Amino acid sequence: MRTIRRDTMGNTNVIQLENVSKSFGDYQAVHNLSLEVNRGEVIGFLGLNGAGKTTTIKMLLSLLRPSSGSIYMLGSKVDAGNYKLWEKVGYLEEAIFYPELTVTENLDIARRMHLISDRNSIARVIEQLDLGAHQDKKARTLSLGNKQRLGLAKAMLHNPEVLILDEPINGLDPASVVEIRELLLDLSRNRGVTILISSHLLEELSKLVDRISIMHKGQLIQDMKVSQMEQALQKSVILDGRNRVALMRILKEHGYSYEEAADGRLALAEGRAISQPEKIAEILVRMGQPPTHLSVVTEDLEGYFLRMIRTEGRKQA
Ligand SMILES: Nc1ncnc2c1ncn2[C@@H]1O[C@H](COP(=O)(O)OP(=O)(O)OP(=O)(O)O)[C@@H](O)[C@H]1O
């Protein structure tokens, strides 16, 4: 008999995957994935195309059966017969609508399909998603951002305890990303809704979520708070000069290691270069090769993500 683990507040983990794998024939799309998500957490599920995100989400929703391992949601085992569970889970895959019907009509169809008797649910989600000005417009005339809002509104009609959003920020402009973030944060902080968002856009995702799990080739390669990730960003000294060959020789002679950046400039990541970049400038001036450029830069989250994937690739090679 297994026990459902509890978080530090004593809450049951809302989503729990234990050693979950999924194969399609000989191809293993998800490999031994274990993950726990607590109540009210907003977690980002990040990976390149084909990393296994959608396969995992489909298994969470019992649209696909794992080849091995177990999945629990809200304390119940996820399986195709567990209909009660789906009353508590909202899912946004892609914004799919009846294009010739209005926003309100689309929501009313979704309400009836979910067997929700409360007609006020439509007005509630229209307000939450700020769709009031568009409620009588045909869905096909909406901007991409408003189509995404309509998709979210449909997913939220039945006030779910868990929201699973596959690529919800695709096509949103920066202002809409901020609005959607505020909405999702309100749902998680004030209403305890647990939210899992998949995306391949780390920079955008990091603005929405508390925690990021990175999947690569079916495996979980990182699972950390966004704040920890920001501390793990690598700094480098970026250096350039009129004679790059001479620059490299001088650096080597003085025991500095470097890599050539994509634009041909030199990048030095070791601690002493970052803590004392002026020493490098002094050496180069003394050796008759004054730098034409010297700066200390911090990689962005996208750079961090790509570095993690490269490191993983080297480990697997
Ligand atoms: N029904 C299927 N039959 C065979 N292979 C599949 C099937 N579904 C997914 N795959 C393969 O499993 C791998 C993972 O796919 P998945 O859709 O989970 O990736 P993803 O991380 O969601 O990527 P994307 O961002 O492109 O949606 C891919 O290589 C895909 O081709």
Side-chain angles (χ1 to χ4, degrees), residues 222-241:
Q222 285 256 321
D223 181 17
M224 61 161 80
K225 297 254 178 213
V226 173
S227 52
Q228 287 172 305
M229 201 172 265
E230 276 160 2
Q231 281 165 14
L233 297 179
Q234 197 172 68
K235 287 197 163 92
S236 339
V237 173
I238 302 293
L239 190 63
D240 206 0

